[in-house]
Amino acid sequence: MFPRPASGRRLVTAAALLSLLGTLSTSAWAGPRDRDPAPHARAAVTRVASAAGSTTPLDGYAIQSTAKVTDSAAEVSSPGYPAAGWYPAGPRSTVLAALLADGRYPDPFHSTDQQKIPKADFEVPWWYRSDFTVADTSRRTLLDFSGVVSAADVYVNGRQAAKAADVTGAYTRHELDITTLVKSGTNTVAFRVQPNDPNKNLTMGWIDWLQPPPDRNMGIVRDVLVRRGGPVALRDAHVVTKLAVPSLATADLTVKAQARNDSGAPVTAEITGSVAGTNFTASVPLAAHETKTVTLSPADVPGLHLTSPKVWWPAGMGGQPLYDLDLTASVSGTVSDTAHESFGIRDVQAPLNSDGARQYRINGRPLLIKGGGWSPDEFLRWDPGYVADRLKYALDLGLNTIRLEGHIEPDEFFDLADRYGVLTLPGWECCDKWEGQVNGDGESGDKWTAADYPVAKASMAAEAARLRDHPSVISFLIGSDFAPDATIEKNYLDALKAADWPTPVVSAASDKSSPQLGRSGMKMTGPYDWVPPDYWYAKREGGATGFNSETSAGPDIPTLDTLRRMMTPAELDTLWKNPEAKQYHRSPSPVFGTLKIYDNALTGRYGAPTGLADYVRKAQLAQYENVRAQYEAYGRNATDADKPATGVVYWMFNSGWTSLHWQLADRFLDQGGAYFGAKKANEPLHIQYSYDNRSVVVVNNRHADAGGLTARATLFNPDGTQKYDKAVTGVTVNGDGAHGTALTLPSSVSGLSAAYLLRLTLTDADGKEVSRNVYWLSTKPDTLDWAKTDWYYTPTTAYADLKGLSSMAQVPVSATASTESSGDLSTTTVTVRTTGAGRTPSLFTDVHLVDAQGRPVLPVRWSDNEVGLWPGESVTLTATYRTADLHGSAPHVRVSGWNTPEQTVPAS
């Protein structure tokens, strides 16, 4: 994740919902159920299809600790075994996820309840057992799977099909021919899953993101498929695309697949297929047990040369069309196997610029990567609806990229990213076995043994084959904090080349080099803890230059609603009173165990909190200004001639549990200052203030130029007294992320108080406001001690004085709201208007959609939020959400602000 100091696509069936029980959607986590498991907790029997080319995922398992099973592996893996006292588990489930779904432990996301789960229970292997029926044994039957954490012995109908020494690694893919082991009727497959240790196994770990799960995610977290087929199998089907850039006028497709003869006799396979409206056929003679790669290019099939192809673009740059490849292998006129793949046509380049920074280009157009670091659920529970909600949040924030450091999600994640136009940067993780061979002194992760090299290469091969056709995937990072050595790099690159990997491969997420790839073109210079907003404008360390692969100002305190759901009253009392206190919901890391740096800054800049609500109020204000500044600085510098910014990944986009740091939206999908600060900064057409040189800049993230604009900057004291006002007309800004300076604020303004407000507005040629941005600033700057910069932050020796904001008079506002529903969605429209007689503005006015009991309705998409309103002004905001998330309640809106009394009004 960052440097340390030296010391299968499928529909979710009803049975699959077992794995989703206990998974957060938009409601509270279910509490523990005080009951014993059913005496026979076997998963539902999976009916395996007979058709050639069919793939049937196992519906689920019964699981039990080997410490409680005295029967032999042959007995456990035989049909009819009673599985008395075993627990049900979904088709993709860690051990602990299954136990949580069964109500065996209290909510691990609340307080310190996770500490009550005994780790010793997961230091022995666990059995996973599932039954499936086969009606026709004349076809070949194969077991196809990956996602075993950390390793497993595999048994079918009482006989061992594979050993744990061969089925090891979370990402390796395995295909076991079990034709001779299956019988007509009920069959049993059993996995004896070994405990996981991320420092010893090439699997998954949590570094310092959250308190690690007690079972360390041991289990089976991807589908296990039962494949049926004839003598010839089709594998590795994919399409290599070559798009003409920059014209985008043509594209060449090359279809590839492996035809494998699984029989002991020679055969001729007839391969038929279709792609992009073109049909083709090929005759492939195969000797016994021979495998051939079938390749069809435009030279073979002219229809594979496309004119006016449908080009895939990231969201906001164009559409997201996908093509389909369908293949069938037949022998003597009988279908033997089929294959299907979806893919997109796009071109990705990422050369190093003259400063050595990686600059991505999509379909010939340069793109500033504006991203966030992704976290799956802590217990690796897969909930497609929840994942879709989070990806939609990324789009709402104006982000274009999600980075996955390890924890590479199932196929459906990338299907969603393809469909929504969200770019992804997957790669291996740091700080455990994955980088154990190259880690610096004092790092976690064992050195590699001879057995680890083939596992790592097989992992790379499997993920490359799985991800290569997804147009959303624009790179693979084969290193994180450290780049691989020559041997490891060669193994990775050989696997990627064999898979026809189509996009740039990056040596590391840090500024490291590997022998073949050279420099990464990325930096990992922090910060990871609090720094002031003006930090981001310095073209050094983590500031807005180059490609920063992971960075933020650390803590992101959730809303008061969320805090009350995740912590006890005593813990909440400590949260605002004691900066030195160790915070369980921050990190197990001694570096990030407390909120001291953050809390000191909050007090130093805004004044000591007077209570929990005041602490959270100040935290939201601070997080808004800091996250906004991070994205604004990178946005402003993206087209600079000198040391431009090319990419920034907020660390992190989300958290896998209830957290106090590294999240733009919290676990429950509630939105606070960090969320709306990012949303404001990444507006398509945006006016912003520069902390370094006081310039007022317009950034145009649209493709087309923007002209006829008027930029206005007005300064106010906290009491609303206007001290400066200037408007500039005729502002024109080029597109594709260009910026233009409209004006520069004077270095001093007479009568300006220590804390003051800046209101920026941008109007179009018709006088319509297209961007508004409100800042709270100080005549006393934050002072950074750059000489004492550490790997995780730069100290601040003097704070900006924003305490005067606390003296702002209370400003009443009126709010009216109404709701319209269409299909599954509802839209609530809220108009907020200042009603006081004074001149003080309502700062940071927040509107929350709530139900009749005052609980947030989530997820929700607001047109804007946390706005500043001056006397006589009003704003109309819209909130779009699923009607079902009201749970039958009438909608209400809760309005509050920095200096606005809270009120709740009906919105029906």
Side-chain angles (χ1 to χ4, degrees):
M1 194 192 82
F2 41 72
R4 295 298 192 278
S7 61
R9 308 173 188 176
R10 57 187 292 272
L11 295 175
V12 178
T13 65
L17 293 177
L18 281 169
S19 67
L20 306 183
L21 293 175
T23 300
L24 173 69
S25 55
T26 57
S27 59
W29 285 80
R33 289 172 287 162
D34 188 16
R35 64 175 180 82
D36 290 325
H40 300 284
R42 290 177 293 179
V45 177
T46 304
R47 294 171 60 92
V48 172
S50 296
S54 64
T55 57
T56 305
L58 297 180
D59 282 333
Y61 305 92
I63 70 169
Q64 184 56 276
S65 168
T66 58
K68 297 182 179 181
V69 178
T70 58
D71 300 314
S72 68
E75 292 175 284
V76 169
S77 62
S78 294
Y81 181 76
W86 289 39
Y87 303 96
R92 310 172 185 178
S93 180
T94 65
V95 171
L96 188 48
L99 299 180
L100 290 171
D102 199 57
R104 303 308 301 172
Y105 303 113
D107 176 9
F109 283 8
H110 177 261
S111 185
T112 58
D113 287 350
Q114 183 167 277
Q115 291 181 322
K116 300 174 184 177
I117 302 173
K119 295 180 181 179
D121 289 354
F122 313 108
E123 293 174 355
V124 298
W126 278 66
W127 278 112
Y128 276 63
R129 186 185 185 285
S130 188
D131 290 337
F132 62 94
T133 61
V134 172
D136 179 7
T137 58
S138 65
R139 298 197 185 281
R140 304 198 72 82
T141 304
L142 301 104
L143 211 57
D144 186 335
F145 61 94
S146 63
V148 176
V149 184
S150 67
D153 298 293
V154 185
Y155 295 84
V156 176
N157 290 344
R159 296 178 56 187
Q160 187 163 23
K163 296 180 179 179
D166 300 314
V167 181
T168 184
Y171 300 104
T172 53
R173 185 170 181 176
H174 310 278
E175 187 177 63
L176 307 179
D177 190 335
I178 59 172
T179 303
T180 61
L181 301 180
V182 298
K183 60 184 181 180
S184 179
T186 302
N187 297 267
T188 299
V189 59
F191 297 84
R192 185 164 55 202
V193 178
Q194 302 298 311
N196 182 40
D197 184 343
N199 285 326
K200 299 181 182 299
N201 308 124
L202 291 168
T203 54
M204 303 179 193
W206 290 97
I207 317 164
D208 46 15
W209 304 2
L210 46 71
Q211 298 292 346
D215 72 337
R216 294 188 286 194
N217 295 135
M218 69 181 298
I220 300 176
V221 297
R222 291 184 183 170
D223 286 336
V224 174
L225 305 173
V226 182
R227 290 183 176 271
R228 308 302 307 282
V232 173
L234 285 175
R235 297 293 182 266
D236 204 38
H238 62 286
V239 179
V240 179
T241 66
K242 185 173 179 56
L243 177 65
V245 175
S247 72
L248 312 184
T250 62
D252 288 337
L253 310 181
T254 299
V255 175
K256 288 190 172 184
Q258 289 185 350
R260 186 183 71 210
N261 182 4
D262 287 334
S263 75
V267 298
T268 297
E270 294 297 325
I271 311 295
T272 59
S274 65
V275 64
T278 295
N279 299 322
F280 51 83
T281 185
S283 184
V284 183
L286 295 165
H289 303 296
E290 182 184 14
T291 299
K292 286 184 179 178
T293 298
V294 180
T295 303
L296 295 168
S297 69
D300 308 301
V301 181
L304 297 180
H305 175 75
L306 307 184
T307 57
S308 301
K310 300 174 183 177
V311 177
W312 188 95
W313 289 95
M317 298 179 71
Q320 292 79 46
L322 296 174
Y323 288 86
D324 291 307
L325 167 68
D326 288 290
L327 296 176
T328 299
S330 300
V331 178
S332 301
T334 301
V335 173
S336 180
D337 202 2
T338 62
H340 171 84
E341 283 293 317
S342 296
F343 65 97
I345 297 175
R346 54 91 178 93
D347 178 82
V348 180
Q349 303 295 325
L352 303 187
N353 65 16
S354 60
D355 298 308
R358 196 163 294 276
Q359 173 68 70
Y360 279 85
R361 302 180 67 87
I362 310 295
N363 302 330
R365 283 163 55 180
L367 179 68
L368 172 67
I369 296 296
K370 294 185 290 185
W374 182 266
S375 173
D377 172 75
E378 178 177 6
F379 307 108
L380 305 184
R381 294 170 291 192
W382 174 254
D383 182 338
Y386 183 53
V387 170
D389 288 339
R390 285 185 286 168
L391 288 176
K392 289 176 183 177
Y393 267 19
L395 294 178
D396 184 46
L397 292 176
L399 305 185
N400 54 36
T401 305
I402 290 295
R403 180 183 166 210
L404 299 94
E405 186 194 5
H407 303 89
I408 305 175
E409 292 278 37
D411 292 341
E412 294 95 328
F413 175 91
F414 297 96
D415 291 339
L416 288 168
D418 292 345
R419 194 168 77 203
Y420 296 156
V422 178
L423 303 174
T424 62
L425 286 171
W428 304 129
E429 65 195 52
C430 83
C431 315
D432 56 22
K433 186 59 177 275
W434 282 102
E435 292 189 347
Q437 189 64 16
V438 294
N439 273 340
D441 293 340
E443 299 285 346
S444 299
D446 288 1
K447 295 293 184 182
W448 287 22
T449 68
D452 293 314
Y453 290 88
V455 174
K457 184 175 182 179
S459 300
M460 185 74 264
E463 289 303 284
R466 191 172 71 92
L467 300 178
R468 65 190 162 199
D469 275 340
H470 288 283
S472 59
V473 179
I474 58 168
S475 271
F476 199 95
L477 279 65
I478 59 172
S480 180
D481 290 23
F482 294 90
D485 63 22
T487 301
I488 299 173
E489 180 194 38
K490 182 179 186 304
N491 286 341
Y492 286 155
L493 294 181
D494 286 350
L496 287 159
K497 181 179 180 181
D500 294 320
W501 184 257
T503 59
V505 181
V506 181
S507 57
S510 63
D511 186 12
K512 301 290 184 180
S513 300
S514 59
Q516 291 188 55
L517 294 175
R519 289 188 61 183
S520 69
M522 296 187 176
K523 66 178 182 178
M524 194 186 285
T525 47
Y528 300 97
D529 213 324
W530 190 86
V531 291
D534 62 344
Y535 171 97
W536 302 107
Y537 287 83
K539 289 194 173 185
R540 56 182 295 175
E541 276 79 25
T545 181
F547 193 120
N548 198 337
S549 68
E550 50 182 58
T551 187
S552 75
D556 286 306
I557 304 301
T559 63
L560 193 55
D561 294 297
T562 289
L563 285 171
R564 285 172 171 158
R565 293 172 73 176
M566 62 184 268
M567 300 172 76
T568 66
E571 290 166 340
L572 292 173
D573 208 39
T574 299
L575 177 66
W576 72 271
K577 286 182 177 178
N578 187 1
E580 302 277 354
K582 192 151 181 72
Q583 294 292 342
Y584 185 73
H585 284 268
R586 183 152 193 219
S587 172
S589 163
V591 177
F592 303 120
T594 75
L595 292 166
K596 180 180 179 180
I597 296 171
Y598 175 86
D599 286 353
N600 287 348
L602 208 63
T603 295
R605 300 175 90 241
Y606 290 101
T610 58
L612 176 64
D614 186 56
Y615 175 80
V616 176
R617 181 179 74 125
K618 288 172 177 172
Q620 302 312 316
L621 202 67
Q623 286 155 200
Y624 186 104
E625 64 165 340
N626 213 311
V627 175
R628 176 179 59 181
Q630 177 177 334
Y631 281 113
E632 284 184 338
Y634 274 83
R636 187 200 69 177
N637 292 358
T639 55
D640 284 0
D642 178 50
K643 296 183 178 180
T646 62
V648 60
V649 177
Y650 188 88
W651 203 252
M652 296 174 68
F653 171 71
N654 69 298
S655 178
W657 80 324
T658 42
S659 180
L660 296 172
H661 74 167
W662 298 343
Q663 56 190 353
L664 292 177
D666 66 40
R667 176 65 196 183
F668 302 113
L669 301 180
D670 206 355
Q671 306 153 325
Y675 187 96
F676 290 113
K679 182 177 172 71
K680 176 59 64 177
N682 294 319
E683 289 178 317
L685 185 61
H686 179 62
I687 189 169
Q688 64 185 59
Y689 169 75
S690 304
Y691 282 83
D692 58 341
N693 60 17
R694 305 181 311 283
S695 63
V696 175
V697 170
V698 178
V699 178
N700 183 12
N701 291 308
R702 298 168 176 168
H703 183 49
D705 297 349
L709 304 171
T710 297
R712 183 179 181 185
T714 312
L715 297 177
F716 302 87
N717 281 341
D719 65 0
T721 305
Q722 181 175 308
K723 292 299 179 181
Y724 173 87
D725 184 58
K726 184 174 182 179
V728 177
T729 62
V731 176
T732 298
V733 186
N734 295 333
D736 291 333
H739 72 270
T741 299
L743 60 102
T744 299
L745 298 181
S747 58
S748 63
V749 174
S750 177
L752 203 60
S753 58
Y756 62 95
L757 303 176
L758 166 63
R759 183 184 66 195
L760 301 178
T761 60
L762 186 68
T763 53
D764 63 16
D766 296 325
K768 179 184 177 182
E769 186 173 281
V770 292
S771 179
R772 166 183 285 236
N773 211 347
V774 176
Y775 293 80
W776 36 101
L777 303 168
S778 175
T779 56
K780 178 186 176 184
D782 294 291
T783 303
L784 288 153
D785 189 354
W786 291 103
K788 293 184 180 178
T789 296
D790 207 334
W791 64 270
Y792 61 97
Y793 88 123
T794 297
T796 303
T797 57
Y799 296 112
D801 184 2
L802 297 169
K803 299 179 184 67
L805 299 178
S806 295
S807 66
M808 293 179 70
Q810 291 287 293
V811 176
V813 301
S814 67
T816 58
S818 61
T819 298
E820 293 185 357
S821 298
S822 177
D824 296 332
L825 297 179
S826 290
T827 299
T828 294
T829 301
V830 186
T831 298
V832 180
R833 185 185 306 274
T834 55
T835 58
R839 59 190 178 190
T840 304
S842 171
L843 180 64
F844 209 62
T845 307
D846 176 88
V847 184
H848 250 69
L849 183 73
V850 297
D851 63 17
Q853 288 73 45
R855 297 171 300 199
V857 178
L858 301 167
V860 61
R861 178 178 177 180
W862 286 96
S863 57
D864 195 5
N865 214 324
E866 296 182 341
V867 297
L869 291 174
W870 267 252
E873 289 187 332
S874 67
V875 63
T876 298
L877 309 174
T878 59
T880 305
Y881 53 96
R882 289 186 292 262
T883 307
D885 290 333
L886 283 167
H887 303 292
S889 173
H892 293 68
V893 290
R894 183 179 67 209
V895 183
S896 61
W898 175 258
N899 59 323
T900 299
E902 183 178 304
Q903 60 177 306
T904 300
V905 300
S908 54

